Amino acid sequence: MNAFRFLGDMTHLFSVLVLLLKIYATKSCSGVSRKTQELYMLVFVARYLDLFTDYVSLYNSMMKVVFITSSAAIVWCVRRHPQVRRTYDKEQDTFRHAVLVAASFLLALMFHERFTFREICWAFSIYLEAVAILPQLVLLQRSRNVDNLTGQYVFFLGAYRAFYILNWIYRYFTEGHHSRWIPWLAGLVQTALYADFFYYYFLSWKNNVKLELPA
C-alpha cells in the first residue's frame, strides 16, 4: 500500500458513493448507463473470486465487498426500483456491451500470466474494466447536457485510474522494477478513454458553466 494506491481506492469509492447519492436522492438514473454498471458488476465478480479463499487484509476484503455490493445495488435500482427504472433512458443507452464482454474474454484467453481459471478471470476483469466506461461516455455524448452528479461520478472514476497508474510507476521504482504488463496496458487505454471528457470537464470548471459534451 502506498499513497497513490490509497488515493486511487478512495476516488474509486467516492465515485460510487456519488452515483448512489444521485440515484437515491433524486430517485432518478437519468444520464446513467445501465450497461456500464452491468459491466462493472461483472468486472468485480470476476476479479474478486478469491474473496472467500485468500485473505490479504481487512481493508482489502472490505473494499472487495463494497465494490461488488454497490455495483449490484446500482444495477438493481436501474432495473427494478419502481421509481428509478422509469427514468432510465433505454433509447439512448444502446451501446452493444456484449461485444466488449466477448472481446475481453477472448483477450483473456490469448494474453494472460498463467492459464488457470482464476488468472483468466482476473485478466478478463482487467481488459473489461478498461472499456467498461464506453457505454457511459457514449450516452453522455448523445444526451450532451451532463448533470453535476453524473459528471462528478465520471470524473472521479477517471481520477481513480490515473492514481493507479502513478501507483504502478511508484512500485516499479521502489519494488525492484515490479511490473505486470496486463494492468499497465489496460490502465493506459482506460485513462486515454477519459481524455476527451476530462478536457470538457476542465473547461466547464474553468468557465463556471454546465458541462456539455459535443455530439
Side-chain angles (χ1 to χ4, degrees), residues 134 140 184 202:
L134 277 174
L140 292 181
W184 276 64
F202 173 75

Side-chain angles (χ1 to χ4, degrees), residues 37-182:
Q37 298 309 315
E38 290 172 344
L39 292 177
Y40 277 128
M41 184 172 69
L42 185 55
V43 164
F44 297 135
V45 170
R47 183 174 303 168
Y48 300 143
L49 291 173
D50 62 349
L51 178 61
F52 299 107
T53 58
D54 297 344
Y55 179 80
V56 177
S57 66
L58 179 61
Y59 171 85
N60 183 272
S61 297
M62 286 181 62
M63 295 300 281
K64 291 177 180 179
V65 170
V66 166
F67 288 129
I68 292 173
T69 55
S70 60
S71 61
I74 292 168
V75 170
W76 180 87
C77 283
V78 178
R79 280 185 169 275
R80 300 297 181 189
H81 192 284
Q83 293 173 274
V84 175
R85 68 180 183 180
R86 289 200 293 267
T87 65
Y88 171 58
D89 194 352
K90 186 178 181 180
E91 307 285 319
Q92 299 276 12
D93 193 22
T94 57
F95 194 101
R96 295 184 179 180
H97 61 328
V99 174
L100 300 179
V101 175
S104 299
F105 183 67
L106 287 175
L107 282 173
L109 289 177
M110 292 187 292
F111 304 105
H112 47 264
E113 294 187 354
R114 292 190 303 275
F115 194 73
T116 64
F117 177 72
R118 287 215 343 222
E119 283 297 317
I120 295 297
C121 286
W122 176 81
F124 166 71
S125 76
I126 296 295
Y127 295 132
L128 186 58
E129 185 183 17
V131 294
I133 195 63
L134 277 174
Q136 180 65 65
L137 294 176
V138 170
L139 176 60
L140 292 181
Q141 276 198 314
R142 287 174 177 171
S143 58
R144 295 196 63 189
N145 288 323
V146 184
D147 68 77
N148 185 51
L149 288 176
T150 304
Q152 295 287 341
Y153 162 70
V154 177
F155 172 79
F156 284 110
L157 204 55
Y160 136 71
R161 182 47 63 185
F163 277 123
Y164 256 67
I165 289 178
L166 293 175
N167 162 59
W168 296 329
I169 294 173
Y170 175 83
R171 293 183 67 184
Y172 180 81
F173 288 108
T174 60
E175 297 181 16
H177 297 294
H178 168 90
S179 65
R180 301 180 76 177
W181 71 268
I182 292 176

